[in-house]
Each structure stands twice: as structure tokens, then as C-alpha cells.
Amino acid sequence: MMQIGSMSSQATANLKLSPLNPLTRRSSSNLTRVHLANLEKLLQKPPLPEKLSSTQTVRQNVSENIDSGSTEKRGRNLLEGLNLARLWPEMRVADEMSPRHLNRLQQLLNKTGEGEYSPRNNLGRRWREYHGRDDWEGLIDPLDENLRREVVRYGEFVQAAYRFFHSNPAMPLDEAPKARHVALPDRSYKVTKSLYATSSVGLPKWVDDVAPDLGWMTQRSSWVGYVAVCDDKREIQRMGRRDIVISLRGTATCLEWAENVRAQLIQMPDEEGEQEHQAKVECGFMSLFKTRGAHVPSLAESVVEEVKRLMELYKGEELSITVTGHSLGAALALLVGDELSSCAEGVPPVAVFSFGGPRVGNRSFANRINEKNVKVLRIVNSQDVITRVPGAFLGECKPEKEKAKKTGVVGGMLDMLEDNMPLAYSHVGTELRVDTKMSPYLKPNADMACCHDLEAYLHLVDGFLASNCPFRSNAKRSLARLLQDQGSNVKKLYTSKAKSLSLNLERPGQGIMHFPISLPSPS
């Protein structure tokens, strides 16, 4: 008879192994540790639900803060536990913008790429609206998220032009320049042609003898931008058309600065009609646009030739032409848009996205641009003095002045002054106005270089919601790029927090970290 508690060897062999069965302790030590770890996971407390109501959150935070901390900190912890930022959006924005908000700040500082965009939505049939068909009516204030993305994206095309030029600014003296690769921020585009601007003035030869290493600054022709075309089927489908981009950098050489100060208005070459109503533009800008170089055509000739070639190559497709530029490049972009609008039959819609652009011509030139249906979106920083030159303030189109023009005597006097003053300049197009003081990161008294810097412009556009709203709390653009370019103009609270977060802008023995950004245009 078998006794209770005794088992045969056959029964023991047939017994299933179990991590909780003491008879199976003969297993290896590794297997035992695995079983114990699994047991610990089973005994752990279940996680809290991800979503709680605002009342539950407040109660939970209050109870946790009352139970923890000393008596002196209970009052402060009680207010923090209430989490008022969840209840009032204004306090939430202020909290997320605060330098104490380390998680958000660290996220922005650790981004070193070309930056993130607003959602990449399908523009589809609305592409003409975002390209300026209706002068961006209803999309500026408040700023549409799709338009914000497009503006930042075109600004980065200009940054690529800066970066490429500064990497190798010199040109050969005895032959035409060879084609070089331009790294674009958007890989769905490919560069098809390099563009060159030539100054009609020159510096004495002794300048090169005194400073031979700076010969590129005295050369009359310089690489100024490029033509690129979208070559990705998925991106073409998303945008609703194949986009041709002309990107132009700002002032970078001595001779370009010399052209900038030639501020007298001159008649456009093809302009006819009465003298007082003729379209006129700044002499220096027209010089850089129309002058041929020793081995390169003029900027006007190059752009027209390449756009005609692309129109023929992609004949039958939906096309658009987007001209974008910063500073001097913004002024040249207007001249490019004017030239392309009438260069051939069936020219695709032309839009200009300009950043920190100066005035280019008189009011008749602005009317000419409008009549040719060239759409212009001017991104302007209120603190940027470059956008208020050249010319007299009478050339500025402001609502109060337009209202005054409706009155007979005052309106007639303003028209007479604008038509006869030698520096009666006028801006062109629709304005998207940002302000350095709106950024929680930049000093309100930032210097001129910061207010005109292209990276600062893109930073302000990325955070712009509306003219009566604070900087958006979910802005995505990297702050590391802004710290490197304009560190002296960033508030000390954020620079100190950047150091406390161990953001190494400098590496021992390697100098400053080089993020993929453009050099700021001189201002």
C-alpha cells in the first residue's frame, strides 16, 4: 500500500515543471532568477490611468504635496500641486515658456537638425491659395499652420544658399565656374542651375595686393543662389503641383555692399509712358540683376533661360514658380519675379517669399508688380531697420496713409511728394509682421544684427500665432541654432539653463560645435 507523501520515481518524472514547485529547484540558477523576476512583475502595483479628469488631477497633486515636504514648503507645494496651467491656457503658455520648464527647454536645445515643421498636410487643391492667389487673405493673422510651414521651408532654402556660398566664395578668374553640389534642406528638390550676380562697379587692383586672401570680396561676379525643382512624386502629389524654386542669398561681398548704397531710383529698361508714372527701382539692385560677368551671364538672363527650359521639360504638368530671398536676396527676388512674369507665354503662377527685404522701387513699380499678378509675401521684423530703407517714410504704404489719400488736399499732396521725391520708395505685397519682443528667448533690446538675422526670422515665424497672441508654446524650431548665431542676444536665463543642461556648445580642443546652419548676413 502506498503511503501518503511518498511518490514513485515515474510519477515524479511525469510531474510538470513549475517555477513555484519546490520539487523543481534542481533547475539552473539563471532560470530561477528569470522566474523570480517574473514573479516580481506580477506583484507590482498596476500603473495609474493615463488620462485623469482635471478634478482628479488637482486632488491627486494636492494630496501628494501635502504628504511630502517640510512645513515651510507645504504652502508653495500646494499651489504647485493645483496645476493651474491646466485650468488657464495663459498660465500654461507662461509656464512652458519659463526657463524653469527644463524638459521643454532641453528638447528645443538638443535639436541640431534643419528644424521641425508644422504638420506636413496635403495642400492638394488649395495650393494656389497658399501660393498667394488671394494675397493670403485669412491666412496671415492668425497664421495658418500650413502657411507657417511653407514660409519656414522656403526660408531654409535661402539658408542653404548662404551655407554653400560661404563654404567656397571664390570664383575662377580665367574660366567659367564649374558646377558644384548644393546640399538642400528638402531632399525632394534637386538643384538644376547656379546663379551669379555681377556688380557694375569695381575696386582698385591694389586692394587685392594689400589683402590677397580676401580676393573673393573684390571679385565683381559672385555665386548668389540657385534654381531647384521638386523631383519627388509623393511631394508633388502632396503639394498639388511641381514647384520651381529660385533661392537668393543676402549681401556678402564688398562690391555688393557698394551696390546697396547706390540708392538713387532709375527707370526700368522696358518701362514706357509718362515720366512721372514710370516704374523705377534702386540703381544698385538693378545693376546686380542686369550686369553680365566676364564668364557668366547676368542674373536676369540665367533665371529666364533656366525657367524656360524647365517649362518645356515639364510641359503639360501643373507648375508653380516660387522666388525666395533674404535681405539683398529679397530685393533681387522682386526683380526676378517681375522678369519671369512676362518672359514667355503660359508662365506658371509666380510668388515671392521675402525675408527682411528693403524697399526696391517706387509706387509705380509696386503697381507694376500687382498688374503682372506677381504675388509677394513680405516677412518683416518690426525691429529690423533694413526693412525701412532705402527711401523716405512717405513711400511706406500704411492704413492711415491710405485713409488720408481719400481726402482731396492731403491725398493730392502725398501723391505729388511720392511722384517727385528722388527717394520716394514703396513696399510691395502682403505683409507678415513679426517682432523680436514677442520671443520669450530673445532680449527685447536685441541688436541690429539679431533683428536682421535669417535664423532669428525663422525662429519668430515658427512661434508666431497672431499679432495679439503670445509666442506659441509648441514652437518646434531648435534653440541651439539661435544660441550659436545670436548667443549674446538670448536672455541670460536661457543661456544659463543651457549650460546647466550640459549642452556643450564648445568641445575641448574642437572649438565651437558646427550645427548645419547658415552664416548670418551682414547688417
Side-chain angles (χ1 to χ4, degrees), residues 192-193 227 301-311:
T192 62
K193 191 176 185 66
V227 180
E301 292 171 336
S302 297
V303 170
V304 170
E305 178 186 359
E306 182 63 13
V307 168
K308 285 183 177 180
R309 186 187 72 84
L310 293 176
M311 287 173 57

Side-chain angles (χ1 to χ4, degrees), residues 282-353:
E282 197 218 44
C283 175
F285 298 154
M286 182 57 69
S287 169
L288 291 169
F289 184 60
K290 287 290 189 178
T291 305
R292 292 178 56 89
H295 304 287
V296 294
S298 68
L299 176 58
E301 292 171 336
S302 297
V303 170
V304 170
E305 178 186 359
E306 182 63 13
V307 168
K308 285 183 177 180
R309 186 187 72 84
L310 293 176
M311 287 173 57
E312 183 64 26
L313 179 62
Y314 301 111
K315 190 174 182 179
E317 294 189 28
E318 192 94 49
L319 298 176
S320 69
I321 300 175
T322 306
V323 193
T324 181
H326 171 246
S327 191
L328 170 64
L332 296 175
L334 278 179
L335 298 178
V336 169
D338 174 79
E339 189 80 10
L340 291 178
S341 62
S342 56
C343 69
E345 293 291 335
V347 177
V350 180
V352 177
F353 289 76

Side-chain angles (χ1 to χ4, degrees), residues 142-188:
L143 183 59
D144 183 88
E145 64 175 12
N146 291 321
L147 181 58
R148 177 190 293 113
R149 184 190 184 280
E150 293 298 291
V151 169
V152 172
R153 186 167 67 97
Y154 287 126
E156 290 185 343
F157 277 108
V158 183
Q159 284 191 326
Y162 274 121
R163 183 166 57 248
F164 177 79
F165 172 76
H166 286 290
S167 65
N168 187 7
M171 283 186 60
L173 299 177
D174 302 328
E175 59 181 357
K178 297 180 181 180
R180 292 187 291 172
H181 174 70
V182 182
L184 298 182
D186 193 330
R187 296 183 179 179
S188 60

